[in-house]
Amino acid sequence: MEGLSVADANLVMYLHPSKSRNVSQSILRELGSLLFKFNETFDGVLLAYDVNILDKQAKILSGVHPYFGLRLKANLLLFSPKPDMLLEGKVVKLSQESIHVIVLGFSSAIITAENIRGEFKYRTKDSEELFASKSHKRHVIKVGTMIRFLVKSFDEEILHIIGSLISAHTGSIRWLDRHLEEDSEFDRSSMKSRDREWLGDKTVDEGATPMSYDNHIKMSKKRRITE
């Protein structure tokens, strides 16, 4: 899935002297408060982190409240969806007007009817709502389906995504991956067939007819027997 990235960051964290008794725990608590929120400094939503404290002694800042600063080396996992990126999520609600999706368990997405390609037709089966492909009967989207979709926009404040299923390479992940495997196998089979034909052409002498080639094989066998 696109939109995920890992970044190395050099940070400086300022702590109140009252937190000096357990610096490590205070740092983890401060970083924890940034999780699952969009951060302009990181240009993304912080999903996870691994941090090392570089300073063994803190530098005390002058001022009314003498905070002390610590240099940190952090490894960050960020989520930063941009337009036209491919995301994956689970369908949690579906109606004729829209498909609602949860991405990575925390970010919501909606795909409205105008952003669903005409291949998909809304219908109900055994009281279950779903979108079924008119071209491929097994390509179905319903509640619980994991889908792949394109990003149209991302609201950084509420972490809400507007998505699209217009592109042909979007839809049910299970069907898309299986269809891709079938296409790859077909391509490999076609390539093998072409290779066999090419090798067969190379075996026969140029200008020889199939009949003369067969006679050549028979004559060779007779020579071996005679010898």
Side-chain angles (χ1 to χ4, degrees), residues 150-206:
L150 282 173
V151 177
K152 291 196 71 178
S153 64
F154 177 54
D155 189 317
E156 299 170 352
E157 186 174 350
I158 61 175
L159 307 182
H160 185 71
I161 302 165
I162 304 296
S164 168
L165 289 174
I166 296 295
S167 175
H169 58 283
T170 58
S172 166
I173 295 176
R174 184 177 180 182
W175 186 90
L176 290 169
D177 290 347
R178 183 179 299 173
H179 190 65
L180 181 62
E181 289 176 2
E182 290 174 355
D183 287 346
S184 298
E185 289 177 3
F186 177 78
D187 291 340
R188 285 195 295 269
S189 298
S190 299
M191 188 176 296
K192 287 179 180 178
S193 298
R194 288 194 297 270
D195 289 343
R196 282 196 295 268
E197 291 175 2
W198 183 81
L199 289 172
D201 292 341
K202 286 292 182 181
T203 304
V204 181
D205 294 336
E206 293 184 4

Side-chain angles (χ1 to χ4, degrees), residues 122-158:
Y122 172 84
R123 63 189 180 92
T124 57
K125 182 178 180 181
D126 299 329
S127 302
E128 184 179 34
E129 296 178 297
L130 52 86
F131 279 93
S133 169
K134 294 185 290 186
S135 305
H136 308 279
K137 64 179 183 179
R138 293 186 178 180
H139 194 179
V140 176
I141 297 174
K142 57 186 178 180
V143 172
T145 301
M146 292 295 295
I147 67 170
R148 186 175 292 135
F149 63 95
L150 282 173
V151 177
K152 291 196 71 178
S153 64
F154 177 54
D155 189 317
E156 299 170 352
E157 186 174 350
I158 61 175

